[in-house]
Coordinates of all heavy atoms in Angstrom, one line a residue:
F411 N 23.9 -8.5 -7.4 CA 23.5 -9.7 -8.0 C 22.8 -9.5 -9.4 O 22.5 -10.5 -10.0 CB 22.7 -10.6 -7.2 CG 23.3 -11.1 -5.9 CD1 23.1 -10.4 -4.7 CD2 24.2 -12.1 -5.9 CE1 23.8 -10.7 -3.5 CE2 24.8 -12.5 -4.7 CZ 24.6 -11.9 -3.5
G412 N 22.6 -8.2 -9.8 CA 22.1 -7.9 -11.1 C 20.7 -7.8 -11.0 O 19.9 -8.4 -10.1
A413 N 20.1 -6.9 -11.9 CA 18.6 -6.7 -11.9 C 17.7 -8.0 -11.9 O 16.6 -7.9 -11.3 CB 18.2 -5.8 -13.1
P414 N 18.2 -9.1 -12.5 CA 17.3 -10.3 -12.5 C 17.0 -10.8 -11.2 O 16.2 -11.7 -11.0 CB 18.2 -11.2 -13.4 CG 18.9 -10.5 -14.3 CD 19.4 -9.2 -13.4
I415 N 17.8 -10.4 -10.1 CA 17.5 -11.0 -8.8 C 16.2 -10.7 -8.4 O 15.5 -11.4 -7.6 CB 18.6 -10.4 -7.7 CG1 18.4 -11.2 -6.4 CG2 18.4 -8.9 -7.5 CD1 18.9 -12.5 -6.5
A416 N 15.6 -9.6 -8.8 CA 14.3 -9.2 -8.4 C 13.2 -10.2 -8.9 O 12.3 -10.6 -8.3 CB 13.9 -7.9 -8.9
R417 N 13.4 -10.7 -10.2 CA 12.4 -11.7 -10.8 C 12.6 -12.9 -10.0 O 11.6 -13.7 -9.7 CB 12.7 -11.9 -12.2 CG 12.5 -10.6 -13.2 CD 12.7 -10.9 -14.6 NE 11.8 -11.7 -15.1 CZ 10.7 -11.4 -15.5 NH1 10.3 -10.1 -15.6 NH2 9.8 -12.3 -16.2
K418 N 13.9 -13.3 -9.6 CA 14.0 -14.6 -8.8 C 13.3 -14.5 -7.5 O 12.7 -15.5 -7.1 CB 15.5 -14.8 -8.7 CG 16.2 -15.1 -10.0 CD 17.7 -15.3 -9.8 CE 18.5 -15.6 -11.1 NZ 19.9 -15.8 -10.8
L419 N 13.4 -13.3 -6.9 CA 12.9 -13.3 -5.6 C 11.3 -13.3 -5.6 O 10.6 -13.7 -4.7 CB 13.2 -12.0 -4.9 CG 14.7 -11.9 -4.5 CD1 15.1 -10.4 -4.1 CD2 15.0 -12.7 -3.3
V420 N 10.7 -12.9 -6.7 CA 9.3 -12.9 -6.9 C 8.8 -14.2 -7.5 O 7.6 -14.7 -7.0 CB 8.9 -11.7 -7.8 CG1 7.4 -11.8 -8.2 CG2 9.1 -10.3 -7.1
Q421 N 9.5 -14.8 -8.4 CA 8.9 -16.0 -9.1 C 9.2 -17.2 -8.4 O 10.0 -18.1 -8.8 CB 9.4 -16.0 -10.5 CG 8.9 -14.9 -11.4 CD 9.5 -14.9 -12.8 OE1 9.9 -16.0 -13.3 NE2 9.6 -13.8 -13.5
T422 N 8.7 -17.3 -7.2 CA 9.1 -18.5 -6.3 C 8.0 -18.7 -5.2 O 7.2 -17.8 -5.0 CB 10.5 -18.3 -5.6 OG1 10.8 -19.3 -4.8 CG2 10.5 -17.0 -4.8
S423 N 8.1 -19.8 -4.5 CA 7.2 -20.1 -3.4 C 8.1 -19.8 -2.1 O 7.4 -19.9 -1.0 CB 6.8 -21.5 -3.4 OG 7.7 -22.4 -3.3
L424 N 9.3 -19.6 -2.2 CA 10.1 -19.4 -1.1 C 9.9 -18.0 -0.5 O 9.4 -17.0 -1.2 CB 11.7 -19.4 -1.4 CG 12.1 -20.8 -1.9 CD1 13.6 -20.7 -2.5 CD2 12.1 -21.8 -0.8
T425 N 10.1 -17.7 0.8 CA 9.8 -16.6 1.5 C 11.0 -16.0 2.3 O 11.9 -16.8 2.7 CB 8.5 -16.6 2.3 OG1 8.8 -17.6 3.4 CG2 7.4 -17.1 1.6
G426 N 11.1 -14.8 2.5 CA 12.0 -14.1 3.5 C 13.5 -14.4 3.2 O 13.9 -14.4 2.2
T427 N 14.2 -14.7 4.4 CA 15.5 -14.9 4.3 C 16.0 -16.1 3.5 O 16.9 -16.2 2.9 CB 16.2 -15.0 5.7 OG1 15.5 -16.2 6.5 CG2 15.9 -13.7 6.6
M428 N 15.1 -17.2 3.6 CA 15.5 -18.5 2.8 C 15.3 -18.0 1.3 O 16.1 -18.5 0.5 CB 14.5 -19.5 3.1 CG 14.7 -20.8 2.4 SD 16.5 -21.4 2.5 CE 16.5 -21.9 4.2
N429 N 14.3 -17.2 0.9 CA 14.2 -16.7 -0.5 C 15.4 -16.1 -0.9 O 16.0 -16.5 -2.0 CB 13.0 -15.8 -0.6 CG 12.7 -15.5 -2.1 OD1 13.3 -16.1 -3.0 ND2 11.5 -14.7 -2.2
V430 N 16.0 -15.1 -0.1 CA 17.2 -14.4 -0.4 C 18.5 -15.4 -0.6 O 19.3 -15.3 -1.5 CB 17.5 -13.3 0.6 CG1 18.9 -12.6 0.3 CG2 16.5 -12.3 0.5
T431 N 18.5 -16.3 0.4 CA 19.6 -17.2 0.5 C 19.6 -18.1 -0.9 O 20.7 -18.2 -1.6 CB 19.5 -18.2 1.6 OG1 19.7 -17.4 2.8 CG2 20.5 -19.4 1.6
V432 N 18.5 -18.6 -1.4 CA 18.5 -19.5 -2.5 C 18.7 -18.7 -3.8 O 19.5 -19.1 -4.6 CB 17.1 -20.3 -2.6 CG1 16.9 -20.9 -3.8 CG2 17.0 -21.2 -1.3
Q433 N 18.2 -17.5 -3.9 CA 18.2 -16.7 -5.1 C 19.6 -16.2 -5.3 O 20.1 -15.9 -6.4 CB 17.2 -15.7 -5.2 CG 15.7 -16.1 -4.9 CD 15.3 -17.4 -5.5 OE1 15.8 -17.7 -6.7 NE2 14.3 -18.0 -5.1
T434 N 20.4 -15.9 -4.2 CA 21.6 -15.3 -4.4 C 22.7 -16.3 -4.3 O 23.8 -16.1 -4.7 CB 22.0 -14.3 -3.2 OG1 21.9 -15.0 -1.9 CG2 21.0 -13.2 -3.1
G435 N 22.4 -17.6 -3.9 CA 23.4 -18.5 -3.7 C 24.4 -18.3 -2.6 O 25.5 -18.9 -2.6
R436 N 24.0 -17.4 -1.6 CA 24.9 -17.1 -0.5 C 24.1 -17.1 0.8 O 22.9 -16.6 0.7 CB 25.5 -15.7 -0.8 CG 26.4 -15.1 0.3 CD 26.8 -13.7 0.0 NE 27.7 -13.7 -1.1 CZ 28.2 -12.5 -1.8 NH1 27.6 -11.4 -1.2 NH2 29.0 -12.5 -2.7
A437 N 24.7 -17.6 1.9 CA 24.0 -17.6 3.2 C 23.5 -16.2 3.4 O 24.3 -15.2 3.2 CB 24.9 -18.1 4.2
F438 N 22.3 -16.1 3.9 CA 21.7 -14.7 4.3 C 22.6 -14.0 5.3 O 22.7 -12.7 5.0 CB 20.3 -14.8 4.9 CG 19.7 -13.5 5.2 CD1 19.0 -12.9 4.0 CD2 19.7 -13.0 6.4 CE1 18.5 -11.7 4.4 CE2 19.1 -11.7 6.6 CZ 18.4 -11.1 5.6
D439 N 23.2 -14.6 6.3 CA 24.0 -13.8 7.3 C 25.2 -13.2 6.5 O 25.6 -12.2 6.9 CB 24.4 -14.7 8.4 CG 25.3 -15.8 7.9 OD1 24.9 -16.8 7.3 OD2 26.5 -15.7 8.2
S440 N 25.7 -13.8 5.5 CA 26.9 -13.3 4.8 C 26.5 -12.1 3.9 O 27.1 -11.1 3.9 CB 27.5 -14.4 3.9 OG 28.5 -13.8 3.0
T441 N 25.3 -12.3 3.3 CA 24.9 -11.1 2.4 C 24.4 -9.9 3.3 O 24.7 -8.8 3.1 CB 23.6 -11.5 1.6 OG1 24.0 -12.7 0.8 CG2 23.1 -10.4 0.7
A442 N 23.8 -10.3 4.5 CA 23.3 -9.1 5.3 C 24.5 -8.4 6.0 O 24.7 -7.2 6.2 CB 22.4 -9.6 6.5
G443 N 25.6 -9.2 6.2 CA 26.9 -8.6 6.8 C 27.6 -7.8 5.9 O 28.0 -6.6 6.2
R444 N 27.7 -8.1 4.6 CA 28.3 -7.2 3.6 C 27.4 -5.9 3.3 O 28.0 -4.9 3.1 CB 28.6 -8.1 2.3 CG 29.6 -9.2 2.5 CD 29.8 -10.0 1.2 NE 30.9 -10.9 1.3 CZ 30.9 -12.1 1.8 NH1 29.9 -12.6 2.4 NH2 32.0 -12.8 1.9
W445 N 26.1 -6.2 3.4 CA 25.3 -5.0 3.2 C 25.5 -4.0 4.3 O 25.6 -2.8 4.1 CB 23.9 -5.5 3.1 CG 22.8 -4.4 3.4 CD1 22.5 -3.4 2.5 CD2 22.0 -4.1 4.5 NE1 21.5 -2.5 3.1 CE2 21.2 -2.9 4.3 CE3 21.9 -4.8 5.7 CZ2 20.3 -2.5 5.1 CZ3 20.9 -4.3 6.6 CH2 20.2 -3.2 6.4
A446 N 25.5 -4.5 5.5 CA 25.8 -3.7 6.7 C 27.1 -2.8 6.6 O 27.1 -1.7 6.9 CB 25.8 -4.5 8.0
L447 N 28.2 -3.5 6.1 CA 29.3 -2.8 5.8 C 29.2 -1.7 4.8 O 29.8 -0.7 4.9 CB 30.5 -3.8 5.6 CG 30.9 -4.7 6.8 CD1 32.0 -5.7 6.3 CD2 31.4 -3.9 8.0
A448 N 28.5 -2.2 3.6 CA 28.4 -1.3 2.6 C 27.7 0.1 2.9 O 28.0 1.1 2.4 CB 27.5 -2.0 1.5
N449 N 26.8 0.0 3.9 CA 26.2 1.2 4.4 C 27.2 2.3 4.8 O 26.8 3.5 4.9 CB 25.1 0.9 5.5 CG 23.9 0.2 4.9 OD1 23.5 0.3 3.8 ND2 23.3 -0.7 5.7
W450 N 28.3 1.9 5.3 CA 29.3 2.9 5.7 C 30.4 3.1 4.7 O 30.8 4.2 4.5 CB 30.0 2.4 7.1 CG 31.0 3.4 7.7 CD1 32.3 3.1 7.6 CD2 30.8 4.6 8.2 NE1 33.0 4.2 8.1 CE2 32.1 5.1 8.5 CE3 29.7 5.4 8.3 CZ2 32.2 6.4 9.0 CZ3 30.0 6.7 8.8 CH2 31.1 7.2 9.3

Side-chain angles (χ1 to χ4, degrees):
F411 298 96
I415 190 67
R417 296 182 70 85
K418 294 178 180 180
L419 291 167
V420 169
Q421 296 181 24
T422 179
S423 62
L424 298 171
T425 63
T427 58
M428 181 55 68
N429 191 3
V430 174
T431 295
V432 171
Q433 311 313 336
T434 62
R436 179 184 292 172
F438 183 82
D439 66 284
S440 175
T441 302
R444 290 175 171 87
W445 165 71
L447 293 177
N449 287 332
W450 178 251

